Amino acid sequence: MTLDDINRLSTEDFVAEFGAIYEHSPWIAEKACAYRPFSDTAQMLGAFAQVVRQTDKEAQLALVKAHPELGHRAGIDQALSTESQHEQGGAGLDRLTLAEYEQFHKLNTAYREKFGMPFVICVRKAGKSPKAVILEAMATRLQSSPDAELAEALTQIDAIASLRLQDKVQL
């Protein structure tokens, strides 16, 4: 799909096409649609991110909570979107050893207890050793404040959305 195609979509078709850019949150695409026409993907992604930043904290937390835990149920989670399945699978999170699963479970539990939301990271940007990078980031970010962690989670969500958008749009 090209930018010209995107700019010509009805609101309903725009949401159908881009509603999954932000995990289980098509309301973001619906509001971002009003910022068209987009001159490039950076402007389009900026519109999505602006919608998120302009919403209240409760909606931002709901967006973060729409994301799955990483390595949840040894990588098998029926609530995972197709995009999350591919992203977690690409990082090997669907093939955890028992020891790795226990590490993820322990850190996921601690993180959720402290912040009331799942840990979010752009797994596609986790490098050549994604499991190790993700586990280290989880341990490090457990030291953050709730406000700093919400901001970081939203930054990571924007990175995820950027890659998902690049997958859909032809330049």
Side-chain angles (χ1 to χ4, degrees):
M1 179 170 285
T2 67
L3 281 167
D4 286 338
D5 296 332
I6 292 165
N7 287 328
R8 286 193 295 264
L9 291 172
S10 68
T11 300
E12 182 179 282
D13 290 340
F14 184 88
V15 172
E17 188 66 36
F18 298 104
I21 295 294
Y22 283 80
E23 191 84 8
H24 300 298
S25 301
W27 61 271
I28 298 171
E30 184 175 3
K31 290 185 178 191
C33 185
Y35 291 90
R36 292 184 300 168
F38 302 119
S39 60
D40 57 31
T41 55
Q43 184 186 31
M44 185 175 174
L45 185 62
F48 279 82
Q50 185 174 350
V51 167
V52 173
R53 295 311 183 276
Q54 289 178 342
T55 194
D56 60 38
K57 188 174 181 177
E58 185 175 308
Q60 291 173 345
L61 282 168
L63 171 61
V64 176
K65 290 177 181 181
H67 284 74
E69 286 186 346
L70 298 176
H72 185 65
R73 285 192 254 162
I76 301 170
D77 186 345
Q78 300 302 325
L80 283 178
S81 67
T82 301
E83 293 84 1
S84 286
Q85 288 176 22
H86 291 299
E87 291 158 356
Q88 288 201 33
L93 300 182
D94 60 344
R95 300 175 301 280
L96 297 175
T97 66
L98 181 58
E100 289 170 335
Y101 173 74
E102 288 173 355
Q103 285 180 294
F104 272 93
H105 180 72
K106 178 182 174 184
L107 288 169
N108 276 326
T109 299
Y111 189 91
R112 187 172 289 282
E113 286 175 1
K114 181 171 182 177
F115 298 112
M117 61 187 188
F119 175 83
V120 178
I121 190 169
C122 183
V123 298
R124 288 170 59 184
K125 291 187 174 184
K128 293 184 181 187
S129 301
K131 292 178 199 175
V133 168
I134 294 165
L135 287 168
E136 182 179 335
M138 290 174 86
T140 299
R141 286 173 49 190
L142 269 167
Q143 308 310 311
S144 293
S145 70
D147 287 341
E149 197 49 32
L150 176 59
E152 180 59 26
L154 294 174
T155 297
Q156 294 295 321
I157 289 169
D158 284 340
I160 294 165
S162 176
L163 292 171
R164 289 178 179 181
L165 182 62
Q166 290 173 30
D167 291 343
K168 288 185 147 299
V169 179
Q170 301 166 0
L171 297 175

